[in-house]
Amino acid sequence: MKLITKIVEGAKDILPADSYKWQFVEDIMRKQAMSYGFKEIRTPVFEHTELFERGVGDTTDVVQKEMYTFKTKGEKSITLKPEGTAGAARAILENGVYNDGYPIKAYYITPCYRYERAQKGRQREFHQFGLEVYGAGSYFADAEVICAAKSVFDRLGIENISLELNSIGCKKCRPNYHKALKEYFASHEEELCDTCRSRLDKNPMRILDCKSPVCSEIAKNAPIVLDYLCDECNAHFDGVKKCLDSADVKYTINPQIVRGLDYYTRTVFEFVSNNIGAQGTVCGGGRYDGLMEELGGQPTPSLGFGMGIERLLMVLEESNIEIPKPPVCDLYVIGLGENAQIKAFNIVEGVRNSSLIAECDIVGRNLKKQMMYANKINAKFTMVIGDSEIENNKAKIRNMATKEEKEISIDENFFEEFFAVYVEDGNKNLLDMINKL
Ligand code: ATP
Ligand code: MG
């Protein structure tokens, strides 16, 4: 086979045999977000480039190196979303969602695009689940968002993941810290990588986030942001810690965490796994009180997180956590001859209407091949209909696990009799059925 082209580097297909894993974790994400009072927001996959330049910050890696930006026919510069927050914030402002009052609590599940070197845990198209809170300045909001992220790991049974916490101060106290950092890094200017040298003036905190071994070694002895917090930031940080303690959430204070995006203030956090190699950060978030104003709105205390779904799935795999297999076919009906095929088609359509899974042949296979197919898809029951079955309005339904056969009606009594057999098959199936209805 000679395909005319292949998938774009850094992207991955999610195939039918694997999609149940995505659906399972996304389902838990939606449920957890809902139980914390969040509703879904869906924003376009592309935005005007300036939204990210301003929203994410033009000294960040994301804006400087990683954006997928192109000109449309009208010559406007468009960028594929590299993260979920800027688009959500724009949508809240543009649609006046704040008119309904605060707090605004929204969650998203979205693809993101970053032009990065593709490697394990790092793709050019990847997916994020995230929470957004607007109009909540209290430290209870920080604790709520952190607990909501943790609840996803808990519900999935992930234990080996640690929460790292820091505060990076506010507009008032950060300039003092910047000054101290600048002085420290200036004394190592020669050793820093080119990017970091250019960051020295504009945003020295970015150097703490640099992945080059030399810069990160130098960063180890840099001044610590927590020593520069103002009283309000200290009190806020204490409040967050108190809430987490009360919920028995364990954390480590890590003053090196500054996060990759420019809009963060005060609380920043990461959930890190040791199981999946160098790209161990599964979730990153914090407070971004300056963002709404930066985008042209009123000053609005805001916060949230982004969780990488690919990395989360890697953690599940590395931790040998089984994702429940998707439900299998409840009934496969084989029709022999055209009349019987029509009858089979008619029966499976009816079964599908009651939310069970039913199939019949759509590729023109003979009896033996259809039986093999029913086995392959693990059908729970099979039924063969031929001319004599149609004449008598009765057919044998076979329980594929027990090999037991029962004769049931295939006229208007079919559904009642089929469900009786289905329920008889055991409580588990009964429960399955009730859950599905
Ligand atoms: P990293 O330090 O790994 O580059 P980041 O600081 O750029 O991460 P964020 O912008 O905070 O990451 O994104 C939140 C989460 O999204 C990350 O913790 C990670 O799980 C996931 N993520 C970010 N970039 C990628 C990528 N290129 N491929 C897969 N997942 C990613
Ligand atoms: Mg990154």
Side-chain angles (χ1 to χ4, degrees):
M1 200 166 46
K2 191 158 168 26
L3 296 181
I4 60 150
T5 184
K6 292 206 168 147
I7 192 168
V8 173
E9 190 187 341
K12 272 194 185 152
D13 298 310
I14 300 163
L15 298 173
D18 289 322
S19 55
Y20 73 96
K21 298 178 188 166
W22 287 77
Q23 289 168 344
F24 182 76
V25 299
E26 287 173 5
D27 198 36
I28 286 185
M29 288 163 172
R30 289 179 192 281
K31 283 193 179 128
Q32 290 317 108
M34 263 163 56
S35 62
Y36 280 81
F38 287 72
K39 294 194 177 123
E40 186 174 11
I41 185 166
R42 297 188 191 193
T43 64
V45 90
F46 50 22
E47 297 276 356
H48 291 126
T49 303
E50 56 262 38
L51 176 72
F52 302 114
E53 283 170 352
R54 287 292 285 274
V56 177
D58 54 12
T59 60
T60 59
D61 274 357
V62 170
V63 170
Q64 285 184 341
K65 309 187 242 177
E66 298 171 0
M67 294 207 304
Y68 275 92
T69 296
F70 53 94
K71 285 263 170 66
T72 54
K73 290 180 183 159
E75 291 295 291
K76 279 210 155 180
S77 181
I78 298 283
T79 297
L80 300 184
K81 58 159 90 159
E83 51 91 63
T85 293
R90 178 205 49 73
I92 301 290
L93 291 172
E94 187 170 342
N95 294 285
V97 180
Y98 48 81
N99 289 325
D100 298 336
Y102 290 126
I104 299 163
K105 295 166 57 160
Y107 78 89
Y108 57 81
I109 294 177
T110 183
C112 295
Y113 301 85
R114 296 187 192 178
Y115 194 81
E116 305 201 64
R117 197 167 67 79
Q119 54 194 295
K120 190 178 172 216
R122 200 173 284 291
Q123 295 174 198
R124 291 179 173 177
E125 182 189 65
F126 63 99
H127 298 79
Q128 278 190 358
F129 159 63
L131 295 188
E132 296 289 323
V133 184
Y134 299 99
S138 149
Y139 53 75
F140 282 101
D142 307 52
E144 181 171 295
V145 159
I146 292 171
C147 287
K150 182 173 178 287
S151 79
V152 170
F153 303 130
D154 289 348
R155 282 289 298 270
L156 288 167
I158 296 171
E159 286 168 355
N160 200 357
I161 195 154
S162 59
L163 166 59
E164 308 205 352
L165 192 63
N166 191 21
S167 172
I168 55 171
C170 64
K171 262 203 275 196
K172 202 169 109 190
C173 53
R174 186 121 30 101
N176 288 336
Y177 179 57
H178 271 188
K179 195 162 158 263
L181 263 190
K182 237 186 252 178
E183 275 166 22
Y184 172 78
F185 284 122
S187 67
H188 293 274
E189 193 170 347
E190 300 298 296
E191 303 150 70
L192 294 175
C193 73
D194 290 348
T195 322
C196 283
R197 224 173 296 142
S198 72
R199 287 162 166 162
L200 198 52
D201 260 342
K202 270 181 105 179
N203 196 346
M205 254 168 66
R206 288 269 67 76
I207 305 176
L208 297 176
D209 210 28
C210 181
K211 297 196 169 75
S212 109
V214 179
C215 298
S216 37
E217 196 55 40
I218 298 171
K220 279 188 188 153
N221 296 318
I224 283 172
V225 62
L226 294 172
D227 296 337
Y228 292 79
L229 296 187
C230 62
D231 290 348
E232 288 90 337
C233 285
N234 261 323
H236 188 93
F237 197 41
D238 284 345
V240 178
K241 290 186 279 186
K242 223 185 303 168
C243 287
L244 294 178
D245 291 340
S246 81
D248 211 18
V249 175
K250 303 275 176 291
Y251 53 86
T252 314
I253 305 291
N254 181 351
Q256 299 287 339
I257 290 184
V258 292
R259 308 291 310 119
L261 314 181
D262 263 359
Y263 48 53
Y264 286 102
T265 50
R266 292 195 166 164
T267 316
V268 288
F269 63 90
E270 288 184 356
F271 282 90
V272 186
S273 163
N274 309 322
N275 285 1
I276 54 170
Q279 269 59 251
T281 306
V282 180
C283 172
R287 187 168 268 289
Y288 27 88
D289 289 346
L291 176 67
M292 289 302 232
E293 211 179 344
E294 190 67 37
L295 299 181
Q298 295 297 315
T300 312
S302 313
L303 63 159
F305 67 72
M307 187 183 287
I309 304 182
E310 281 81 1
R311 290 193 196 169
L312 182 70
L313 286 166
M314 280 165 60
V315 172
L316 289 175
E317 196 167 319
E318 294 300 323
S319 320
N320 292 320
I321 295 174
E322 277 277 332
I323 294 177
K325 293 276 186 296
V328 294
C329 180
D330 293 299
L331 177 64
Y332 187 90
V333 185
I334 299 170
L336 303 173
E338 198 180 344
N339 278 346
Q341 280 173 312
I342 300 265
K343 181 78 184 169
F345 183 77
N346 176 271
I347 286 176
V348 295
E349 269 296 284
V351 172
R352 290 162 179 166
N353 273 339
S354 59
S355 299
L356 295 187
I357 304 173
E359 286 194 70
C360 62
D361 179 54
I362 52 169
V363 293
R365 288 189 172 120
N366 65 22
L367 173 66
K368 193 171 158 217
K369 292 247 167 76
Q370 285 194 53
M371 269 325 242
M372 282 163 68
Y373 178 74
N375 262 317
K376 189 179 121 188
I377 63 171
N378 274 323
K380 288 182 191 156
F381 291 92
T382 54
M383 191 164 75
V384 181
I385 303 175
D387 288 342
S388 70
E389 279 79 10
I390 295 197
E391 212 168 288
N392 299 325
N393 266 327
K394 297 252 179 222
K396 282 194 182 130
I397 188 156
R398 182 181 174 87
N399 183 324
M400 297 293 277
T402 62
K403 310 279 181 243
E404 217 179 308
E405 286 191 337
K406 272 206 177 123
E407 197 172 62
I408 65 168
S409 305
I410 52 170
D411 52 17
E412 66 277 4
N413 293 323
F414 169 76
F415 293 105
E416 205 177 311
E417 293 183 29
F418 170 60
F419 289 136
V421 173
Y422 188 85
V423 168
E424 222 176 75
D425 187 38
N427 286 327
K428 195 183 157 296
N429 286 346
L430 174 61
L431 277 179
D432 279 352
M433 185 165 87
I434 291 166
N435 284 337
K436 278 186 213 162
L437 288 175

